Amino acid sequence: MTDLATLELELINAIGGAETVAALEEVRVAALGKSGSVSGLLKGMGALSPDQRREQGPIINGLRDRVAAAIAARKTELEAAELDARLQAERIDLTLPARPRRKGGVHPTMQVMDEMIAIFAEMGFAVAEGPDIEDDFHNFTALNFPPKHPAREMHDTFFLKPDPETGERKVLRTHTSPVQVRTMMSQKPPIRIIAPGRTFRKDSDATHTPMFHQIEGLVIDRDINMGHLKTTLETFIARFFELDAVQARFRPHHFPFTEPSAEMDIRCERPSSSNGGKLVFNTGDDWLEILGCGMVHPNVLINCGLDPDEYQGFAFGMGVDRLAMLKYGVPDLRPMFEADTRWLAHYGFSAFAAPNPASGLS
């Protein structure tokens, strides 16, 4: 009995001294395993007499049960301690600031459109809008396009399916000029508007896409002349490119809806190794086409219900995407419409830096 009491005390101390589940498992094997000290006592009972077995059996079984119970209790304690330690080690500190996440940016086209609107608003222009899907009258006829003009052909313009009742084929507007027509037909002069928006043509290369953005302008009043047009556009271009002044020329051109018509060019030096690969204005011997313009054709005024003997005016139009390319160094127009967030992260603008004449445009 003294040996069993000593063995039990040693095992209970070993169980209490086990610091890990693995160490406790070693104690269990040493005591209750096939070759364990307690298991050996149980195996040795076969050599005892029946009276000895009746006497020693309950004592040894009791020892086994107490050791097993002590091991189970200690294992529960160790597993709970290990779980607490693991939870402490793997705890997420929610008080730490989150990793910075990019909130997105303003697309260069939208940025430049806002810049242009801000400049023209400062010059007294109002913003006018119209539908993307237009009829033949507003998109072509009212603007003095002759019946066989190339713009009316399928290879230039997106035509919708014919109306089943009238047979009319509407188009995706090829310019924002229909907004000018709608404005002249809905309000009396004086008129001073710009018409920003999407336009659609069958073009696709490095500087053209099937859908692009335009801003067109219209001024109708008495005694309007080319001098007003020239001053307006030179002021706008200088303001847009942040120049003190601009060296421009107006080349004769042809547009069905203006007469006389012109294209505006700016003196520039093309990107090269000598200027750091940048487009430089007001220097060099080269010229860069910027926009088209002219005096509103009398036929357009008549089609819109205005008397050309009483009113005259000028109109102009320019590509927003192309001006964004020139101002911010975008080499190819097509990625501007590919929805690549990496491209936008490089060329985009902060949504909190809305352009205005007071705090700055770009």
Side-chain angles (χ1 to χ4, degrees), residues 238-259:
R239 192 84 170 82
F240 178 76
F241 288 109
E242 301 177 63
L243 306 170
D244 293 333
V246 62
Q247 297 182 29
R249 70 180 184 184
F250 290 79
R251 290 180 293 105
H253 196 69
H254 170 72
F255 300 111
F257 34 82
T258 53
E259 181 62 36

Side-chain angles (χ1 to χ4, degrees), residues 180-193 218-224 296 300-302 304-314:
Q180 300 182 28
V181 174
R182 293 179 180 275
T183 302
M184 286 187 282
M185 296 180 68
S186 62
Q187 68 182 68
K188 295 182 179 180
I191 296 172
R192 185 180 296 184
I193 63 157
L218 174 70
V219 173
I220 301 292
D221 204 345
R222 296 179 174 87
D223 302 323
I224 298 295
V296 179
V300 175
L301 295 174
I302 294 172
C304 295
L306 298 178
D307 184 355
D309 293 329
E310 183 179 2
Y311 297 107
Q312 54 272 343
F314 62 79

Side-chain angles (χ1 to χ4, degrees), residues 202-223:
K202 289 186 176 180
D203 287 325
S204 183
D205 56 42
T207 57
H208 297 85
T209 53
M211 189 279 289
F212 56 102
H213 298 81
Q214 273 191 343
I215 278 188
E216 295 192 9
L218 174 70
V219 173
I220 301 292
D221 204 345
R222 296 179 174 87
D223 302 323

